[in-house]
Amino acid sequence: MEVTLLKEAMRVNEAMQEKASDVTVQGDVIVPDTAPDILKILQIDGRATITGRERQGDKLVCTGVASFCVLYIPEEDEMGAPVRSLHTEMTFKDVCSTDGDAENLRGAVSAELSRIESMLLNSRKLSIKATVHLTIHQWKQAETDFVTGATADTELAMRMRKIHMQNTLSDGEFTVTAADTLEVPAEKPAVGEILKMDGVVVGQEVRVITNKAIAKGVIRLATLYLSAGPSPSVQFMEHDLPFTEILDMPGAAEGMDCTVDYDIDKIYYETDDEGDGARHVGAEVTMTLRGEATQNVEMEILEDCYAPNYDTKLSRRPCRTDAIVDSIREQLAAKKSLSLPSECPPIAQVYNVVGRPQVKTVEIHNGTVEVTGVAEVYVLYLTDDSDMPLFCYRDTVPFTFAAGTQADDTAIPSCRVTLLGCFYSLSSSGAVDLRINLDICLRLCAEESVETIENITIEEDTAEKRPSVVIAFVGDGDSLWNIAKKYRTTTAKIAAANGLEESDTVPAGTKLLIPR
């Protein structure tokens, strides 16, 4: 007997795995001939950028570049500068196994640089070793047909199930560039040489229109430089570089939820120095943006089906769906007073504080989600010691964030913490009072296992006819539905014959009359 299935197609992301991996990068750095010898390393900072992802069979091969900036005190400097910098890059590679069928498997990889160590081998050579922490998200994207009903030339008993899912309408990865000319503040001296430039994306906004997403934000640039002139001094300035990008996202529509993640890949800068210092700096920032437009969908699907008095067979396919249960985005200020050890020279003036937040744990318990982590901070400051005019002190600032949530304890959390800014004040005791402003972005998803029906066949019942009167005893876990299906009758008939409602729960051991 022919059965027609009523179907509704959904584009579903089935989460396959999330893995963390650490890759070590190390190498020797030679000071260029044009730069002075190294007396002491002050600070080594950097960023890790993913440059390629390639799937090879059941493996995902990730390649990238770790870029380092080394600040150091020179032995002798013809410029008379108290500090100089050099820049270097090292490549890295990681191979990750994938779960299941690689067809239609997609992935996103983020990289963070941590645990940077160095050893000065001689005044012209140093060794750098660091850890690149990779977070690899993999999912399978497929157009899945969900059966919402069925019709046949005979009566069908159907049991429905309500499910929630995140329907991904559009996603994409984009490389964008923001550029502008930065003006040196009037109260600051002209730029002789830029030592380093850091950037962080703040104030992100995203709006969805038909087949597009408009991403807006500000890149906060912090520039450490040497002033122009015969006795260069270390200077610091900040600028905001706004950007607006229109991302092509076919299938996106107004009213959808849209998230955009930002990774700064590279910062390029040049000055207009014509011999007496620069009052303008050209800056160009390259970023990777990952956008996803989704809709939470509630739908009823056919969970089970049979034809009374017929032999009914169903073929099923397992499927995993997820839905965003809660989204939380808030700002957090982490504070700590740093008292420098006695072996560190006293602070005369703080030039710069660099922070790098790292998430340690994300836990959900009894309607509360809690995030813990640390921000690794580097305090670069001027001293009154002529032998050590500049010094860098490293410490960590712990942070904890908690918020109420609709998600239950089984929800799968995804958390991204972004540094918005480092602020400081110098106390009378010489301690540095730090405030680290963080942007906490949380998504909590509920994962659900579903068996979708792919086919239903109905054939004549070849089993022996059962007696006209049957007495059944309800077993543990039995319901009116599976009893009716077993005896090829309907829940309505069993309920009517026993003075019950179809929605009633029948205790184990209950004696039921099963009508034909």
Side-chain angles (χ1 to χ4, degrees), residues 428-501:
S428 57
S429 63
V432 180
D433 295 325
L434 284 180
R435 188 179 83 245
I436 311 297
N437 287 354
L438 303 171
D439 182 65
I440 312 287
C441 185
L442 271 165
R443 294 177 72 185
L444 305 173
C445 294
E447 188 176 276
E448 193 170 2
S449 295
V450 178
E451 283 196 329
T452 61
I453 295 174
E454 291 194 314
N455 189 44
I456 300 175
T457 58
I458 298 176
E459 298 174 353
E460 290 292 336
D461 187 0
T462 57
E464 293 183 7
K465 298 296 182 182
R466 67 177 176 84
S468 58
V469 177
V470 172
I471 302 296
F473 289 88
V474 178
D476 290 335
D478 277 346
S479 64
L480 288 184
W481 173 268
N482 57 33
I483 292 172
K485 185 176 181 181
K486 177 181 178 180
Y487 291 101
R488 296 179 182 176
T489 181
T490 66
T491 55
K493 289 180 180 180
I494 295 178
N498 293 274
L500 302 171
E501 297 291 334

Side-chain angles (χ1 to χ4, degrees), residues 35-36 47 52 71-72 81 89 133 206 255 306 315 330 352 379 453:
R47 67 166 53 88
L71 295 179
Y72 69 94
E89 293 183 345
H133 182 74
V206 60
Y306 67 92
S315 61
E330 292 187 24
N352 186 19
V379 180
I453 295 174

Side-chain angles (χ1 to χ4, degrees), residues 385-431:
D385 186 345
S386 58
D387 293 331
M388 186 67 64
L390 205 62
F391 194 81
C392 183
Y393 175 68
R394 184 174 71 176
D395 205 338
T396 58
V397 178
F399 63 85
T400 300
F401 170 79
T405 178
Q406 310 169 51
D408 61 28
D409 296 1
T410 63
I412 301 172
S414 174
C415 181
R416 186 179 180 93
V417 178
T418 305
L419 178 73
L420 297 179
C422 296
F423 302 92
Y424 57 87
S425 61
L426 193 61
S427 69
S428 57
S429 63

Side-chain angles (χ1 to χ4, degrees), residues 125-339:
K125 184 178 181 181
L126 72 150
S127 174
I128 295 178
K129 180 180 179 181
T131 298
V132 179
H133 182 74
L134 300 174
T135 304
I136 303 166
H137 305 268
Q138 294 192 100
W139 65 89
K140 189 173 183 179
Q141 192 174 77
E143 191 88 10
T144 299
D145 287 331
F146 290 92
V147 176
T148 57
T151 60
D153 293 334
T154 186
E155 177 188 6
L156 292 178
M158 293 184 286
R159 183 169 67 182
M160 308 301 290
R161 174 182 176 182
K162 185 175 290 186
I163 65 171
H164 300 81
M165 73 182 72
Q166 178 185 330
N167 190 18
T168 302
L169 282 305
S170 183
D171 63 0
E173 186 171 286
F174 311 88
T175 299
V176 302
T177 299
D180 201 357
T181 299
L182 314 178
E183 187 172 352
V184 178
E187 69 276 11
K188 295 282 187 178
V191 175
E193 178 184 325
I194 292 179
L195 297 172
K196 62 180 299 192
M197 185 181 287
D198 296 304
V200 61
V201 179
V202 299
Q204 305 100 316
E205 293 180 31
V206 60
R207 184 167 64 91
V208 181
I209 58 176
T210 304
N211 296 323
K212 306 281 185 184
I214 303 174
K216 294 182 178 181
V218 172
I219 304 169
R220 185 153 294 158
L221 295 173
T223 306
L224 196 67
Y225 71 95
L226 293 174
S227 63
S231 299
S233 61
V234 180
Q235 299 291 329
F236 175 73
M237 59 183 178
E238 283 188 321
H239 294 85
D240 284 347
L241 176 58
F243 65 88
T244 300
E245 293 292 333
I246 300 178
L247 311 178
D248 288 325
M249 298 185 65
E254 191 171 349
M256 290 182 181
D257 292 327
C258 187
T259 59
V260 178
D261 291 331
Y262 303 82
D263 284 326
I264 292 180
D265 297 330
K266 191 169 185 178
I267 300 177
Y268 171 80
Y269 50 83
E270 62 179 8
T271 66
D272 63 353
D273 189 359
E274 296 181 354
D276 55 353
R279 300 301 305 180
H280 296 88
V281 177
E284 182 180 275
V285 181
T286 302
M287 299 181 292
T288 297
L289 276 57
R290 285 179 290 271
E292 183 181 62
T294 61
Q295 246 181 352
N296 272 357
V297 177
E298 179 182 279
M299 65 185 302
E300 278 197 330
I301 65 169
L302 183 61
E303 183 179 41
D304 201 2
C305 177
Y306 67 92
N309 303 318
Y310 287 88
D311 185 14
T312 308
K313 295 179 181 178
L314 282 71
S315 61
R316 304 173 185 269
R317 180 179 65 83
C319 175
R320 283 184 297 173
T321 67
D322 59 21
I324 299 175
V325 181
D326 205 355
S327 294
I328 300 169
R329 186 164 193 172
E330 292 187 24
Q331 293 185 9
L332 173 71
K335 300 178 181 180
K336 185 177 180 179
S337 182
L338 306 182
S339 295

